[in-house]
Amino acid sequence: MNYRLIYFQLLGCLCYLALANSSIAEPPTTTDTTAPNWREHQRQLQREYEAFRRIYHEESQTQQKKIKAIWGKGEISSKYRWIEYSSDYKQKVIVDFNQHIIRISRLYRVSDDQPTEAALLKTVLLKTEKMAFENDQLAQAVETRVKNRLTLIKTGSPSDKLFLIAAITGELSITDENLERLIDGLIKTRQIKKHVDIEGTILKTLEFNFEPMQKGKPLYEPILSPEPKKNSQSKDAKKTLSGFFALQPVIGQELSQEQRKLPNAARAIAPIVSKQAQALRISEPLIYATIEAESAFNPFARSHVPAFGLMQIVPESAGQDATSFLFGEAIILTPSYLYNSEKNIEIGTAYMHLLYYQYLKMIDDPMSRLFCTIAAYNTGTKNVAKAFDKKGNIHKAAKKINKLSQRQVYDRLIKKLPYKETKRYLKKVSRLISKYQV
C-alpha cells in the first residue's frame, strides 16, 4: 500500500488528537500495585477469567453439537456474521454484515404451515439488541453459568435498538410504511434454493441482498411520515430524501451535516461514537475504521478468543484494562454487557485511549505512535514492541522507534510484527480511516 496515501489518511486523526483539550480529567490512578489486596485481586481475576474462557468454549462446543446434529455443521455467530436459530433449531438466520446478505433457511415438511417471505423478513428486521441476545442460546448459557460461578464480573443489558434496521438504513427507527417498502425492496433481490431429502424433509433457503443500500442506491421509494402535502416541499426538504429516509434526529442529539454523510451503519452509531471520541480524545474516523475492521458493524460479533461486540473486546485484556481505567477496578465484562453497542464502544475507545496516551506515550512522534496504537489494538503492546525489540520491552522499543522516521516505523511494523493478521490489520485500518473523514 502506498505510504504517502496512508500518511494523509491518518493525518486527520493526528490533527484531532493534537487539538484535543489536554485538560480533560483522567480517572484517578491511585491503585497501589504493591498492596497485598491488589495482588490477591489480580490472582482471583486471572482465575475467574480462565473459568470464563473455559465456560465459553464448553458452551460453544455444546451448542455446535446440537446445531450439527440438525444442519450437518455447527455454524455459530462470528466476527462478521450474526447467526440465530429458532428454539427447535429448524430455522437458521444468517446476516452477513460484510457481504450485506440476509439468508433465512428453514427445514420443514410439505404439510407444515409456512410463513410468507414478508413475514419472515419482518421478524428478522425488527429484532432489537435485547431480543437477539435473549434468543442467543450460546450467550444465554454462558451468561447463566458465569453469573452463578464468578464474582468479579459486570453484567449489563443490550438495548432496544433495532440493530439490523440501523445497520441497513442508518436509522434508529422506521415507519410502518417504510418498513413495508424496505421488505418489498429486499424481496426483489431474493434468491431461492430448495432441496428435498429422501425422507421428505424440505430445506428452503431465501437470500436477500441489502448491498445496494450500502452504496447509496435505495431498494424502495421512502415516504415521509406524516406524508407532506402536494407541492409543499422546499428544495431543502427534498434534499433530506436523498438517502433512504428523511433523517430523523436521534433523541437528545441532532446529527451534524458531516454525520449525515457517513455510510449507513456508521451513521446509526454516530452520536455514540462522537460522545466517546470527545470524552476520550480519540479520532472519530479511527473509531469507525476500527469497528469496520473488527466486526463490519455487527453488534453480535464474536470470535473464539473469545472477543465480543462491535469493537471485539477481549474480557481478559482490553476489557480488564478499560474497566480499571473507567471504574477504578479491573473486572470481567460478560456478553450481556458487551452486546450493548454503546457500552462496547465506550470500552473499546477507552482501551484505545490507554494505548495512545499511556502505554505508548514514550513514542515521541504522533504518527509513529498512531501506527503502533492501531497495531497494538489488534495484538497488544508487547507484540508491537517485538517488531523493534526481541524481548518485547516497550521502553527499549520506544527508544529505537524515536530514532526512526515515520515511514521507517510503518515499514518495520509491516515487516516485523509477529503475526500476519496484525500486519493486514494495520494496513486495513489505515486504509479505512479515509472512508470516515467526512
Side-chain angles (χ1 to χ4, degrees):
M1 185 175 180
N2 185 281
Y3 178 79
R4 185 182 296 275
L5 178 60
I6 293 172
Y7 181 89
F8 286 107
Q9 286 173 345
L10 296 180
L11 192 58
C13 291
L14 290 176
C15 290
Y16 185 98
L17 294 169
L19 293 172
N21 184 355
S22 61
S23 66
I24 294 176
E26 299 282 6
T29 54
T30 57
T31 303
D32 181 1
T33 59
T34 64
N37 59 340
W38 183 86
R39 292 198 299 271
E40 176 53 35
H41 177 83
Q42 292 302 111
R43 285 193 288 268
Q44 183 181 352
L45 194 65
Q46 185 58 36
R47 289 193 298 269
E48 293 205 1
Y49 175 72
E50 291 300 328
F52 174 88
R53 183 167 57 180
R54 186 164 55 253
I55 288 169
Y56 176 79
H57 287 302
E58 287 173 358
E59 292 299 333
S60 293
Q61 291 175 0
T62 298
Q63 292 298 322
Q64 286 177 304
K65 285 181 182 178
K66 292 179 180 179
I67 296 165
K68 190 175 182 179
I70 295 175
W71 291 92
K73 57 181 179 178
E75 288 186 297
I76 58 175
S77 295
S78 57
K79 288 182 67 171
Y80 304 130
R81 300 202 307 169
W82 169 61
I83 303 180
E84 181 181 79
Y85 294 88
S86 59
S87 58
D88 61 1
Y89 294 93
K90 295 296 180 68
Q91 177 174 298
K92 174 170 59 175
V93 176
I94 299 178
V95 178
D96 191 316
F97 286 78
N98 202 32
Q99 298 297 321
H100 309 117
I101 294 293
I102 299 171
R103 188 176 297 118
I104 305 173
S105 300
R106 293 176 60 83
L107 293 166
Y108 63 95
R109 298 266 183 179
V110 175
S111 58
D112 295 340
D113 291 334
Q114 291 300 303
T116 65
E117 294 176 0
L120 285 171
L121 267 176
K122 185 175 183 179
T123 300
V124 174
L125 291 170
L126 292 182
K127 289 281 185 181
T128 64
E129 285 184 353
K130 185 176 181 180
M131 292 165 62
F133 176 70
E134 290 174 347
N135 291 338
D136 188 329
Q137 292 97 323
L138 172 55
Q140 289 295 315
V142 171
E143 191 81 13
T144 299
R145 287 184 62 186
V146 166
K147 287 167 68 174
N148 289 337
R149 178 168 178 182
L150 310 184
T151 58
L152 301 180
I153 61 172
K154 188 172 182 64
T155 62
S157 177
S159 74
D160 290 323
K161 170 185 173 183
L162 297 170
F163 70 93
L164 191 52
I165 288 288
I168 294 175
T169 69
E171 307 303 325
L172 298 181
S173 63
I174 188 169
T175 64
D176 291 341
E177 293 88 350
N178 280 334
L179 177 60
E180 290 178 7
R181 285 163 174 76
L182 174 58
I183 290 172
D184 288 343
L186 286 168
I187 287 175
K188 290 177 182 177
T189 74
R190 174 202 58 201
Q191 294 185 27
I192 302 176
K193 294 181 181 179
K194 187 181 287 189
H195 172 75
V196 183
D197 66 18
I198 57 175
E199 296 179 351
T201 298
I202 301 170
L203 168 59
K204 184 177 181 180
T205 298
L206 304 171
E207 187 172 289
F208 309 93
N209 183 2
F210 60 90
E211 184 175 18
M213 297 195 75
Q214 307 303 299
K215 294 184 176 180
K217 299 176 182 178
L219 288 169
Y220 64 99
E221 291 298 326
I223 64 172
L224 286 170
S225 181
E227 190 169 359
K229 295 179 181 180
K230 190 175 181 180
N231 299 324
S232 65
Q233 287 183 294
S234 66
K235 290 183 179 179
D236 288 340
K238 289 180 179 179
K239 287 180 181 178
T240 66
L241 292 176
S242 61
F244 312 116
F245 306 96
L247 281 168
Q248 300 297 317
V250 177
I251 296 175
Q253 186 169 357
E254 295 275 354
L255 290 174
S256 68
Q257 290 298 322
E258 289 74 21
Q259 288 171 331
R260 294 178 186 224
K261 298 175 184 176
L262 288 167
N264 291 351
R267 195 174 74 205
I269 59 173
I272 301 171
V273 171
S274 180
K275 175 183 175 182
Q276 297 305 327
Q278 292 178 38
L280 293 158
R281 293 180 285 156
I282 295 296
S283 158
E284 291 182 35
L286 177 58
I287 298 172
Y288 289 125
T290 301
I291 291 173
E292 179 168 343
E294 292 286 352
S295 67
F297 294 88
N298 172 14
F300 289 93
R302 61 178 171 233
S303 70
H304 69 282
V305 174
F308 300 92
L310 288 172
M311 297 190 76
Q312 283 294 274
I313 306 301
V314 180
E316 181 185 27
S317 54
Q320 292 181 26
D321 288 1
T323 53
S324 180
F325 174 73
L326 293 171
F327 312 136
E329 183 178 62
I331 50 179
I332 297 168
L333 300 172
T334 70
S336 65
Y337 191 94
L338 293 174
Y339 284 148
N340 180 301
S341 295
E342 183 169 1
K343 298 296 185 184
N344 192 284
I345 293 171
E346 179 185 29
I347 295 296
T349 307
Y351 183 57
M352 203 172 286
H353 173 101
L354 287 170
L355 290 171
Y356 188 85
Y357 290 105
Q358 291 191 26
Y359 302 165
L360 299 169
K361 65 181 180 181
M362 65 287 295
I363 299 174
D364 296 333
D365 182 81
M367 185 71 80
S368 295
R369 196 195 310 180
L370 186 56
F371 288 143
C372 292
T373 297
I374 293 170
Y377 190 90
N378 176 264
T379 194
T381 53
K382 186 170 184 178
N383 282 329
V384 169
K386 284 181 179 179
F388 305 90
D389 176 76
K390 289 183 179 180
K391 295 184 178 180
N393 185 302
I394 190 59
H395 294 280
K396 291 182 179 179
K399 291 180 180 179
K400 294 180 180 179
I401 291 171
N402 290 337
K403 294 178 181 178
L404 301 174
S405 68
Q406 298 167 352
R407 173 62 183 265
Q408 289 172 326
V409 171
Y410 178 82
D411 288 346
R412 179 82 176 218
L413 288 168
I414 295 300
K415 184 177 180 180
K416 294 291 187 178
L417 279 166
Y419 302 109
K420 291 181 180 180
E421 176 192 343
T422 310
K423 297 175 184 180
R424 291 193 295 267
Y425 183 84
L426 175 57
K427 292 179 180 179
K428 184 174 184 178
V429 173
S430 300
R431 172 174 50 80
L432 285 171
I433 283 173
S434 63
K435 179 177 179 179
Y436 298 101
Q437 288 174 334
V438 294

